[in-house]
């Protein structure tokens, strides 16, 4: 199999007319994206980012990661939205499910996250965990002025300076921000932190393949060169005039479904390691498409877990949804259901079967039930959970998002609506100038 495959068969028959009618729109959208002639075209740096990232940058990121690994048992990534979700998604997908219950090992720090909320208890409990520990900070903010990470960084910086000393702390902090603007750039220059630049033409939610995502991923011990190689492959295979372009097909199918009345897309996984991939995807599509009174609402579920909670709604609720399933073809390990002589639980019919076979039958059974229940279903099969595949999957969703946003008729690269809550919050908090 290819490392990533898309199957739209179980969605097509719901909206075949709309899918056929959307062919020219999809062509136009991908042309607009690749030629850079559409709205938001000053934010297209991500389109060729994989193939244009110099090997020297990856080497430098790996060297910084090695320094943090050497000197820290915990590395806290401070950031929110696009400045955190990509790294969290990849690190969760590639980690042991129980990694946080193991103690840190030499040169294998635990990567933690802060500044993605304003929870007072979250902050205090993180400070408690880090008390007396060897830790470092990667602070990430493109604008350099976002309130949530700014508060977290102020607190953690103070703690680090107290614990390690002001001079030593400087070598344990890395800032990733705009090349010139913003409070974080000023602070980093003044303090002498090592810094990385978030390119001007790459928006937050498209930035996982820049140092924003790559440094925390490298610190967690994953191979960023393989991740980028997977993205480069996908970049090439989703370029025009390729007729077998899965990014274009996915964008065209979801728009065809939207035009036929399906307003909500549910991204489902059957592997708990993909939970945060769903969170990253929600931001990518939600912020890119939800504007001007339009947009497919992106929701995400973890199956089979959520079949026992959201399953009822999906099966029989309002028929405005469609589903996109990410299926992992090959788990990295093999475990079978044991046989039991007494068979009191009646499970011997499964004895000897791989747990993954049960999971795959749950997946097939769910697809059949949901399609029968009026839920169109697309299926993305990835070969395995590894860096190369995830790099490809990230780029696939990004490219499809750009195409899809243009098909929808919006600027997929701005997020004017995000400012509304900030203005109110700043006024309420009496921030100078508000
Ligand atoms: O996609 C976006 O632009 C946003 O989600 C930002 O990533 C998020 O608001 C964080 O912004 P910043 O990196 O400027 O702190």
């Amino acid at each position: 199999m290819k490392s990533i495959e898309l199957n739209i068969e179980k969605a097509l028959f719901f909206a075949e007319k709309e899918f056929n009618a959307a062919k020219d729109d999809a062509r136009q959208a991908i042309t607009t994206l690749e030629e850079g002639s559409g709205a938001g075209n000053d934010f297209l740096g991500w389109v060729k980012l994989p193939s244009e990232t110099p090997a020297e940058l990856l080497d430098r990121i790996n060297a910084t990661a090695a320094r943090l690994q050497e000197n820290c048992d915990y590395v806290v990534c401070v950031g929110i939205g696009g400045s955190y979700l990509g790294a969290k998604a990849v690190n969760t997908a590639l980690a042991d499910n129980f990694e946080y219950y193991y103690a840190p090992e030499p040169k294998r720090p635990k990567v933690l996250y802060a500044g993605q909320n304003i929870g007072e208890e979250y902050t205090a409990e993180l400070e408690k965990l880090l008390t007396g520990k060897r830790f470092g900070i990667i602070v990430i903010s493109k604008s350099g002025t976002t309130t949530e990470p700014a508060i977290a960084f102020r607190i953690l910086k103070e703690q680090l300076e107290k614990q390690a000393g002001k001079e030593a702390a400087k070598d344990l902090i890395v800032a990733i921000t705009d090349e010139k603007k913003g409070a974080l750039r000023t602070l980093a220059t003044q303090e002498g932190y090592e810094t990385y630049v978030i390119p001007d033409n790459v928006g937050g939610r498209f930035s996982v393949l820049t140092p924003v995502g790559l440094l925390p991923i490298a610190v967690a011990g994953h191979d960023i060169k393989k991740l980028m190689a997977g993205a480069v492959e996908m970049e090439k295979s989703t370029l025009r005039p390729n007729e077998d372009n899965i990014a274009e097909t996915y964008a065209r199918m979801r728009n065809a479904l939207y035009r036929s009345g399906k307003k909500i897309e549910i991204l489902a996984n059957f592997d708990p390691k993909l939970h945060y991939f769903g969170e990253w995807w929600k931001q990518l599509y939600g912020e890119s498409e939800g504007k001007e009174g339009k947009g497919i609402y992106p929701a995400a579920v973890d199956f089979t877990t959520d079949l026992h909670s959201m399953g009822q709604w999906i099966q029989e609720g309002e028929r405005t949804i469609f589903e996109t399933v990410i299926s992992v073809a090959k788990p990295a390990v093999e475990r079978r259901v044991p046989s039991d002589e007494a068979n009191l639980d009646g499970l011997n019919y499964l004895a000897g079967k791989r747990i993954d076979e049960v999971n795959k039958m749950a997946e097939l059974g769910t697809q059949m039930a949901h399609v029968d229940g009026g839920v169109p279903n697309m299926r993305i099969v990835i070969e395995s959970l590894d860096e190369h595949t995830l790099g490809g999957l990230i780029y696939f969703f990004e490219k499809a998002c750009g195409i899809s946003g243009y098909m929808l008729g919006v600027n997929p690269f701005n997020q004017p609506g995000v400012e509304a809550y900030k203005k109110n919050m700043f006024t309420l908090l009496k921030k100078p100038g508000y």
Side-chain angles (χ1 to χ4, degrees):
M1 70 170 286
K2 291 186 187 156
S3 72
I4 301 174
E5 291 177 355
L6 169 73
N7 188 331
I8 62 164
E9 203 188 307
K10 297 275 187 267
L12 192 56
F13 68 94
F14 274 89
E16 194 158 4
K17 204 164 70 121
E18 289 82 356
F19 184 78
N20 291 335
K23 184 172 184 194
D24 290 346
D25 267 11
R27 276 281 104 168
Q28 185 54 53
I30 191 168
T31 305
T32 304
L33 183 68
E34 289 182 6
E35 289 180 349
S37 53
N41 57 3
D42 43 348
F43 280 97
L44 294 179
W46 58 273
V47 178
K48 292 188 184 150
L49 187 78
S51 61
E52 290 182 352
T53 297
E56 297 73 42
L57 177 62
L58 302 182
D59 289 337
R60 193 188 141 208
I61 291 171
N62 279 330
T64 305
R67 193 184 82 235
L68 291 173
Q69 286 169 332
E70 185 71 43
N71 295 298
C72 306
D73 293 319
Y74 296 87
V75 173
V76 190
C77 291
V78 178
I80 194 166
S83 290
Y84 122 91
L85 280 165
K88 176 92 179 167
V90 174
N91 283 344
T92 307
L94 295 176
D96 184 300
N97 279 295
F98 302 98
E99 77 155 337
Y100 289 103
Y101 296 96
Y102 293 100
E105 286 167 28
K107 299 191 186 174
R108 201 63 197 260
K110 300 284 178 203
V111 177
L112 306 171
Y113 302 87
Q116 81 283 34
N117 60 51
I118 335 180
E120 190 157 340
E121 290 187 22
Y122 187 96
T123 312
E125 286 160 14
L126 180 60
E127 281 182 275
K128 186 175 147 202
L129 172 74
L130 295 172
T131 300
K133 306 279 184 2
R134 297 187 325 144
F135 78 97
I137 305 171
I138 303 173
V139 53
I140 309 169
S141 177
K142 181 164 190 212
S143 63
T145 54
T146 307
T147 312
E148 292 90 337
I151 293 173
F153 182 57
R154 184 182 271 212
I155 290 169
L156 291 170
K157 173 179 180 286
E158 190 184 82
Q159 182 174 4
L160 185 60
E161 287 174 349
K162 267 194 202 138
Q163 286 182 199
K166 199 161 165 49
E167 274 315 300
K170 288 182 184 173
D171 289 334
L172 297 169
I173 297 174
V174 180
I176 307 179
T177 188
D178 185 87
E179 191 178 1
K180 299 190 184 100
K181 323 183 279 287
L184 182 57
R185 171 55 61 188
T186 312
L187 197 150
T189 309
Q190 215 147 339
E191 299 280 4
Y193 302 148
E194 179 177 12
T195 63
Y196 284 89
V197 170
I198 308 176
D200 250 357
N201 58 0
V202 179
R205 59 190 173 276
F206 288 85
S207 69
V208 51
L209 299 174
T210 73
V212 169
L214 296 177
L215 181 59
I217 292 168
V219 169
H222 308 304
D223 188 333
I224 56 172
K225 292 195 173 175
K226 285 191 187 152
L227 188 85
M228 288 304 265
V232 170
E233 230 169 72
M234 186 58 75
E235 179 190 324
K236 292 198 175 130
S237 74
T238 55
L239 272 179
R240 282 173 311 152
N242 181 3
E243 283 300 319
D244 183 24
N245 183 339
I246 60 172
E248 187 178 337
T249 306
Y250 173 59
R252 183 172 156 196
M253 189 71 248
R254 60 198 299 281
N255 272 275
L257 291 165
Y258 182 65
R259 289 169 193 179
S260 70
K262 303 292 186 186
K263 306 292 184 196
I264 300 165
E265 178 175 12
I266 300 178
L267 188 78
N269 70 71
F270 279 80
D271 187 321
K273 291 188 180 187
L274 285 170
H275 173 80
Y276 276 97
F277 207 87
E279 297 302 302
W280 170 81
W281 172 89
K282 275 173 16 190
Q283 188 208 358
L284 181 65
Y285 281 79
E287 267 191 1
S288 300
E289 295 193 325
K291 49 197 76 158
E292 298 172 34
K294 300 187 243 186
I296 300 168
Y297 182 83
V301 288
D302 303 321
F303 287 162
T304 62
T305 312
D306 290 334
L307 285 171
H308 298 259
S309 59
M310 294 302 290
Q312 172 61 37
W313 201 104
I314 296 171
Q315 189 66 44
E316 295 181 350
E318 196 182 24
R319 300 297 73 188
T320 46
I321 56 173
F322 65 97
E323 199 168 46
T324 300
V325 174
I326 304 180
S327 175
V328 183
K330 291 185 208 148
V333 294
E334 201 178 307
R335 284 287 178 283
R336 292 178 189 274
V337 180
S339 169
D340 182 281
E341 211 177 317
N343 194 29
L344 293 177
D345 53 10
L347 265 193
N348 270 356
Y349 77 103
L350 293 179
K353 282 198 197 302
R354 282 187 70 174
I355 294 184
D356 189 57
E357 191 181 338
V358 181
N359 201 24
K360 290 289 189 298
M361 290 309 112
E363 188 186 318
L364 184 59
T366 304
Q367 185 192 53
M368 288 157 70
H370 289 179
V371 170
D372 283 350
V375 182
N377 181 291
M378 283 192 266
R379 202 160 167 258
I380 296 165
V381 182
I382 62 173
E383 200 174 7
S384 54
L385 278 182
D386 56 48
E387 288 93 335
H388 187 273
T389 308
L390 288 172
L393 195 61
I394 286 168
Y395 191 85
F396 157 75
F397 276 124
E398 289 182 348
K399 184 81 181 258
C401 184
I403 301 169
S404 187
Y406 280 147
M407 288 185 76
L408 199 63
V410 298
N411 173 355
F413 307 114
N414 64 5
Q415 53 286 328
V418 179
E419 296 311 309
Y421 96 92
K422 291 186 191 168
K423 276 190 198 139
N424 291 339
M425 178 179 79
F426 292 148
T427 308
L428 292 165
L429 288 168
K430 303 190 172 43
K431 181 174 176 174
Y434 283 82

